[in-house]
Each structure stands twice: as structure tokens, then as C-alpha cells.
Amino acid sequence: MRFLMKRNYNQDIQLFKYRSTFFWYLALIIGCCLLPLVLDDYITSQLSFICMYSIATVGLMLLTGYTGQISMGHAAFFGIGAYTSAILTSKGVPFLLALPTAGLLAGFIGIFIGLPALRLSGLYLAIATMGFGFIVDEVLVRWESLTNGNMGMMVDPVSIGPLTFETEVQFYYLTLVVLVLTILAAKNILRSPTGRAMIAIRDSEVAAQAMGISMAKYKTMAFAISAFFTGVAGSLYGHKLTFINPESFTILVSIEFLAMIIIGGLGSLHGAVYGAAFIIFLPQLIIMTKDYMPKYLADQTGLESALYGLMIMLFILFEPMGIYGIWRKKKFYFEMFPLYKKDTFKKEKKYFKAERH
Amino acid sequence: MAFFETHNISISFGGLRALERVSFEVNKGEVFSIIGPNGAGKTTIFNCINRYYNLDEGAFIFKDKNIAKVSPHVVADLGISRTFQNIELFKNATVIDNLLLGRHRHRRSNLFMEALFSPSVQRQEIESREKAEEVIDFLDLQAYRDQFVSGLPYGVQKTVELGRALAMEPELLLLDEPSSGMNMEEMEDLSFWITDIKEELGISFLLVEHNMRLVKEISDRVLALNFGVVIAQGTPNEVLGHPEVMKAYLGEEGASTAG
Ligand SMILES: Nc1ncnc2c1ncn2[C@@H]1O[C@H](COP(=O)(O)OP(=O)(O)OP(=O)(O)O)[C@@H](O)[C@H]1O
Ligand SMILES: [Mg+2]
């Protein structure tokens, strides 16, 4: 455990509590920048997917993990972002403008999706947002003049001024930059009144109101912020795939987002990234382990999906605090060594298992 | 006109008349206590003021403004803060974050500035923290400052809740049974704090309390409620000695004094 002598409030509002933390993050970012040098194109493209999914899950984390509002319709915001950006760039709008516009449009629609959250919560909200997802999916299919319906549409490659992002490595750097900016913005919001208001709503709506926090304003705002980031992620996603159709934005994607933040650990931005990485790399891991399995097992059809599901189930059962929870425990263990007590996290674990959202 | 007025408020839940034409006034800078046996309707009055329940009839006038129809958060915005009978803290936040949430109504930043954590947001954060630290010093919460609320002892949680209400810098503070679950020492602190806040900051109190010693010690005026009806109103001695009040408490006398 570390104790810190604070001399002024500036120290209290720092992004990084310890100087060492800052250097660790710096090292991490430099590491991320160097990765493509040692990895092949395929893995690099997987890393791009992790970055894009992480941008979306940071958005969903703000809504579900921090504000306590579930959404099963985030694929719709993802899709709105992808189509907006695809359509705009096809009409000659520069990508640098199309990207934020995609986010803003998703965010604007998010405001309206937040309205049911004023009356609904938990499972009912889940179903309502799911309904929204279906509607958007249907619109994407039917509005053929704009979206080309089920035939899907081609998406132009990204360029910003003279810079092009056509190779895997270039695109990876683009997604990495957007991800870092996203996390910084999310972190800043969380250490400001808006972020605290969101956490307040999650923990006690009654008390939040008694603090002067307007449910109408902050719930819709949480939806809008969340949708904004997810829309931005969608924009990148479309340009990465170079071809999109409504199939890419079904409810399965919404559920995948939810799985990511739950496995990563609700209520932490780290968790949003860990969860995305886990879900994207899990199938690869399963394929890799296939070589070591007995032949009759490895040849079973549907093995990947079954293992994938099983892993997720086991994870939730044994580690409800998610990957971030494991990380924190390990860190705590080393900081407290040799005073670490096994029961330290028991209460927290029980709390996370209890139904709250 | 008085600082805070309650005019003939009534509310029923199904067939149950929880409050029946209740009226009272709280003057600026006084401690006004509401007593009454369990189920008398004391908490219901608070919940009506906070707009969690809709009044069937009547009005609340706060600083010459009728607040009986505003949204719940507006009540707090206008300067009325409260604590809850069954502690409603933000459990997965630290003590300091809970206090900072009390500062919500004083914020000036908007989302865009916050996402950039602009210098003005930084200044605002520092200001909020200075206020929160003042409250921490006043209520002796230094030891718990960075701890999560969910693990703290009950009495400390009650104090944090009082601190959060104070951090709002309210003009009227509603306290719902602040002493319940507190030990002797904590209760004496509480009595001292309330008197001190009243005298130093000029904050008015509306207090619901079962502990008659505390009521007698700190109240300027007292109102007694039974089955949603006012049975007596006046100075602490008048009300506590009132025959109707004695009758209402009879049978649970033991429970209330031990409370
Ligand atoms: N939301 C509600 N729905 C139905 N009945 C309610 C509701 N809130 C309060 N009541 C009823 O109104 C009456 C007054 O309740 P209230 O909580 O105000 O009592 P109280 O005076 O605070 O009692 P205590 O000393 O036990 O806290 C009780 O009979 C209670 O059951
Ligand atoms: Mg009560």
C-alpha cells in the first residue's frame, strides 16, 4: 500500500494519482505503437478490431457500468455510425468530418432512446432498447435509396488530407488514436460533475434526485454520450470492413457488446477494453488449442461456439468482477504482501453477483 | 411570510389517509422537529416535500415559491437538502465522492468542457474539493475520506449522509431520524453539530426524531403527529408534556425512549 502526501488540490484532481502510473500508461501506449512492427497483418487487423470494439464498449460502459442503464440496442448506434460515415464519405465529405458527424447523429438519436429509460429499468429497459435495435435494423433494410438495403454498400477507404489509411498498420494507428482520445474524454467526464451524477443515478436514484440531479437530463445524456462513442466506433468499423450491410448490426452485436463489458468488469474503463480484447481473442485461442485436443473432439462441429459460450459462463460464475477484478486483486496482493487476506474482496464479489442493473 | 410553509397537505395511499390537512411553518434559522409514533406519517411529509409523492391537496411554500408541483431535483436546486431514514448513500463511491455529489447543484460546467477537463472545470473541481474538505473537517471524517461507503459502520454512514447534505450548502435541511443507530457518543456529536450548523451557518432544520432527549435539547419548536393528523404544536416542553402526545406514545413509551 502506498501513502501519498498531498499538498494542494491540484494533486487531487490529477488524471494519474501516482507519477509511476503515468509512466506505465505511457509505456503501454508506446508498446501499442510498436506492436505492428513485430506482428503480422492478420493480428494487427485483429488489434484494430479490439480498438474499435473498445471505443464502442467504453460508450456502453458509461451507460451500463456507470449509469446502471442497460441497453440491448447498441448495435443500432454502431450501425447508424457506420452508415452515416459511409454515406457521407461516398458523397465526398472528408472523413475527418464524417467521423464526428456519425457520432453526433448516433448521440442525437440516443437522446430519444434515453426517454423510455425515464420510465423503465432493468429487463423492461432491455426489451425496449432491443425493440429500438429491431427498428433501426428494419430501416437500414427498407431505406434502399440511401442504404442499398440488404445488398449492402461499399465504404470508401479512409484518408485525412494527404494521409491514407489503407494498410492494416495504418488503420490500426488510426483506431488506436481514436481509442485513446475516447478513453481520455470518458475519464474526464467521469471525474467531473456529469460523471459523478451518472454514478449517483446507478447507486440510488432517490438520493441522486435529492442532490439536485435531474433524472430526465442525465439519463438521456448518458444515452447520448454512450451512443456518440458507439457511433464513432461504427464509423471506423464500416471503413475497416469496406462493405457493410444490415446483417453486420443485428442484436447479436448488441449482446456481444454487453458480454464484453460484463466480462471486462462493470464500472471500469479498463474493463471495457479488457472485455473487448477477450471476446475478440477468445475464438483465436480456441482455434489454437484445437491442435492439442484429441482428434474426435477437435473434429466436432460447433465446438468453437460451445467452448466460447462455456468460457463466458464460467467467467461470470467465478469472476463476477470481470477481468479488471482479477487484475485489481493481483495488484492488491503484491502491494499488500505479506498482509494480504483472502477475504478482502468477498463482500465486493457478493455485491457484484447480486442483481442490480 | 415564513421561510418554509406547509399548507393543509393531505395524501392517501389507497384507502389509508397518511396525512390529513397538516400545516406548519419553519422560520429562518430554527430547528423544527416532528415527532410521532411509528407510521404517523413523518417520513411521508419529507417524501412529499422532495416530490417523491404527489400531494392530494395542499402546498409547500419555500421562500415565497410554491414547490408542490416542481420536479424532484428542483427542490434540491432551490436549496433544500435531506438525509434518509434508511441511509441512501452512493455505496460504490468513496466518502469524498459522495460529498462532491452534494456539490452538484453548484456546478457551472457543461459536458463539452468536462470532456476536455478545461481549466474552468479544474478550478470548479478544486473549489468543490475545498468545500468537501471543510465538511470532512467539521464532521471528523478524515479517517474515512477515501474509503468506499459500503464498508463503513452504520453511524459513520449516517454522518457521511449528513455531510453530503451539508456539502450542498442548503438553506433548509431535512433530517429523518439522524440519531437512529448511533451510539451515545455519536449522538452527542450530532446534537453539537446541529446546533453549531444552525448558529454558524444560519441553516434551518426540519427534523424527524424519535429520541426525545435530543428533540428537547436542540429543537426550537416541535410538532406532534399521529395517524397523519397534527395533535400538538409549540415549544418542546409544551408538546412533550401534552396529554394527547403522551397518549399517542403510551404503550410504545419504552421503545421510544430507549430508541
Ligand atoms: N409509498 C407508500 N405506499 C403505501 N403506503 C405508504 C407509503 N409510504 C408510506 N405509507 C404509509 O403511510 C404511513 C406513514 O408512513 P411513514 O413512513 O411516513 O411513517 P413514519 O412516521 O415515518 O414512521 P416511522 O417512525 O416508522 O419512520 C404508514 O402507514 C405507511 O405504511
Ligand atoms: Mg419514518
Side-chain angles (χ1 to χ4, degrees):
Chain A
M1 205 191 282
R2 273 182 289 186
F3 292 95
L4 198 63
M5 164 107 153
K6 290 185 186 151
R7 292 190 190 77
N8 61 44
Y9 290 107
N10 269 321
Q11 277 172 302
D12 229 15
I13 61 169
Q14 295 294 310
L15 194 52
F16 306 105
K17 240 198 252 158
Y18 312 107
R19 186 174 283 245
S20 60
T21 322
F22 169 73
F23 286 113
W24 279 116
Y25 279 105
L26 196 66
L28 182 68
I29 290 180
I30 294 173
C32 285
C33 291
L34 296 179
L35 269 181
L37 301 181
V38 293
L39 297 173
D40 60 29
D41 264 8
Y42 175 70
I43 306 275
T44 309
S45 95
Q46 292 304 105
L47 290 179
S48 299
F49 278 109
I50 291 178
C51 288
M52 291 184 290
Y53 272 96
S54 296
I55 297 164
T57 49
V58 164
L60 186 59
M61 187 64 90
L62 288 177
L63 182 69
T64 305
Y66 285 97
T67 321
Q69 311 297 307
I70 194 167
S71 165
M72 294 240 290
H74 259 53
F77 298 123
F78 204 47
I80 290 168
Y83 270 93
T84 309
S85 191
I87 293 165
L88 286 178
T89 47
S90 77
K91 302 235 186 306
V93 177
F95 170 76
L96 211 49
L97 197 65
L99 179 81
T101 311
L104 287 176
L105 183 66
F108 181 71
I109 293 171
I111 294 176
F112 297 97
I113 306 316
L115 293 178
L118 302 180
R119 302 197 167 270
L120 304 173
S121 63
L123 286 175
Y124 294 92
L125 183 60
I127 300 302
T129 47
M130 185 174 87
F132 160 71
F134 290 150
I135 293 172
V136 170
D137 209 30
E138 198 60 23
V139 170
L140 293 179
V141 172
R142 301 280 166 200
W143 198 347
E144 292 189 1
S145 58
L146 198 67
T147 67
N148 213 11
N150 273 327
M151 304 283 290
M153 63 188 292
M154 301 299 292
V155 190
D156 296 340
V158 174
S159 63
I160 300 174
L163 292 174
T164 56
F165 296 89
E166 276 168 34
T167 69
E168 296 295 356
V169 177
Q170 288 167 336
F171 200 85
Y172 165 67
Y173 284 131
L174 175 68
T175 56
L176 186 64
V177 168
V178 180
L179 175 61
V180 169
L181 292 179
T182 299
I183 291 175
L184 274 179
K187 194 82 200 156
N188 283 343
I189 291 171
L190 285 173
R191 58 187 176 138
S192 304
T194 303
R196 280 195 293 265
M198 284 163 36
I199 294 168
I201 291 174
R202 177 191 70 190
D203 282 3
S204 165
E205 291 196 7
V206 177
Q209 285 176 314
M211 301 295 104
I213 293 166
S214 155
M215 287 299 119
K217 181 172 168 195
Y218 284 94
K219 276 190 181 173
T220 48
M221 195 137 110
F223 265 91
I225 299 170
S226 177
F228 172 84
F229 288 132
T230 307
V232 167
S235 160
L236 290 169
Y237 187 72
H239 290 287
K240 170 85 178 106
L241 293 186
T242 65
F243 171 81
I244 50 174
N245 67 1
E247 289 279 287
S248 328
F249 309 103
T250 58
I251 176 142
L252 277 175
V253 177
S254 297
I255 292 172
E256 220 168 32
F257 286 155
L258 275 177
M260 286 173 179
I261 61 166
I262 292 171
I263 286 176
L266 283 178
S268 95
L269 291 181
H270 284 119
V273 180
Y274 297 156
F278 183 81
I279 294 280
I280 286 177
F281 273 134
L282 186 57
Q284 324 272 342
L285 283 178
I286 292 173
I287 291 171
M288 273 156 62
T289 53
K290 245 179 152 175
D291 296 344
Y292 302 96
M293 281 182 203
K295 191 164 168 13
Y296 67 93
L297 196 63
D299 286 348
Q300 294 290 328
T301 46
L303 178 75
E304 280 103 348
S305 323
L307 276 181
Y308 184 71
L310 186 68
M311 290 290 281
I312 292 177
M313 274 172 68
L314 291 176
F315 211 96
I316 295 302
L317 197 59
F318 293 108
E319 203 46 72
M321 281 148 68
I323 302 173
Y324 182 63
I326 302 180
W327 159 247
R328 264 191 42 213
K329 266 192 255 183
K330 292 281 166 280
K331 198 167 137 216
F332 192 72
Y333 176 85
F334 287 111
E335 279 179 7
M336 292 300 282
F337 189 83
L339 300 171
Y340 182 76
K341 286 210 295 280
K342 221 173 131 223
D343 283 345
T344 312
F345 287 93
K346 221 173 189 170
K347 207 161 157 188
E348 232 177 303
K349 191 161 164 177
K350 230 165 71 196
Y351 168 81
F352 267 85
K353 273 191 181 173
E355 194 180 316
R356 292 176 304 146
H357 298 293
Chain B
M1 265 200 160
F3 179 62
F4 179 82
E5 298 175 16
T6 298
H7 285 292
N8 286 321
I9 58 163
S10 303
I11 184 169
S12 36
F13 300 107
L16 178 91
R17 286 291 259 175
L19 292 175
E20 183 126 30
R21 302 185 71 74
V22 173
S23 294
F24 60 88
E25 290 178 356
V26 182
N27 297 316
K28 181 107 193 128
E30 80 172 345
V31 176
F32 188 94
S33 296
I34 300 174
I35 61 168
N38 292 107
K42 307 177 296 292
T43 301
T44 304
I45 295 183
F46 279 16
N47 286 342
C48 288
I49 297 175
N50 271 105
R51 301 282 301 116
Y52 299 144
Y53 300 158
N54 282 318
L55 289 177
D56 292 341
E57 55 168 336
F60 294 111
I61 313 288
F62 179 60
K63 297 197 290 182
D64 300 335
K65 186 176 188 294
N66 186 358
I67 58 164
K69 294 249 154 43
V70 300
S71 301
H73 72 273
V74 175
V75 177
D77 260 347
L78 289 171
I80 299 179
S81 71
R82 80 172 274 188
T83 65
F84 296 83
Q85 187 168 354
N86 303 310
I87 304 186
E88 285 283 345
L89 283 167
F90 307 115
K91 286 212 162 57
N92 299 293
T94 57
V95 169
I96 183 86
D97 277 338
N98 269 273
L99 299 187
L100 287 173
L101 267 158
R103 303 295 305 163
H104 186 83
R105 79 185 187 98
H106 299 284
R107 81 201 176 286
R108 299 175 304 269
S109 54
N110 61 36
L111 182 63
F112 187 68
M113 283 149 60
E114 288 172 0
L116 300 172
F117 213 62
S118 70
S120 67
V121 176
Q122 292 175 24
R123 271 196 304 278
Q124 170 179 285
E125 277 303 295
I126 290 172
E127 245 170 66
S128 301
R129 274 165 201 276
E130 277 166 358
K131 277 284 168 222
E133 278 327 311
E134 271 175 31
V135 173
I136 285 180
D137 282 345
F138 179 65
L139 297 179
D140 272 332
L141 286 168
Q142 295 90 342
Y144 310 104
R145 189 177 180 283
D146 290 316
Q147 289 189 29
F148 281 88
V149 165
S150 51
L152 298 178
Y154 192 83
V156 177
Q157 292 198 19
K158 282 242 145 192
T159 311
V160 174
E161 224 193 8
L162 174 64
R164 187 180 66 180
L166 269 181
M168 285 175 73
E169 294 188 276
E171 291 182 58
L172 177 65
L173 223 167
L174 318 181
L175 302 181
D176 199 347
E177 302 197 14
S179 82
S180 74
M182 284 191 164
N183 60 34
M184 259 334 249
E185 197 186 333
E186 287 168 329
M187 199 133 77
E188 271 161 24
D189 282 342
L190 178 73
S191 157
F192 166 79
W193 287 329
I194 293 178
T195 321
D196 209 37
I197 296 165
K198 179 182 90 164
E199 283 165 7
E200 297 277 314
L201 304 172
I203 294 176
S204 318
F205 283 88
L206 191 54
L207 180 76
V208 165
E209 184 51 60
H210 270 307
N211 187 302
M212 291 310 149
R213 234 193 68 199
L214 186 65
V215 169
K216 218 169 178 157
E217 209 170 280
I218 61 177
S219 315
D220 296 300
R221 287 185 306 133
V222 180
L223 174 146
L225 205 62
N226 197 17
F227 294 114
V229 181
V230 178
I231 50 176
Q233 203 174 158
T235 64
N237 285 328
E238 279 166 21
V239 174
L240 296 185
H242 197 283
E244 283 281 329
V245 177
M246 310 264 258
K247 212 169 79 196
Y249 270 100
L250 220 64
E252 54 168 338
E253 183 71 359
S256 62
T257 44

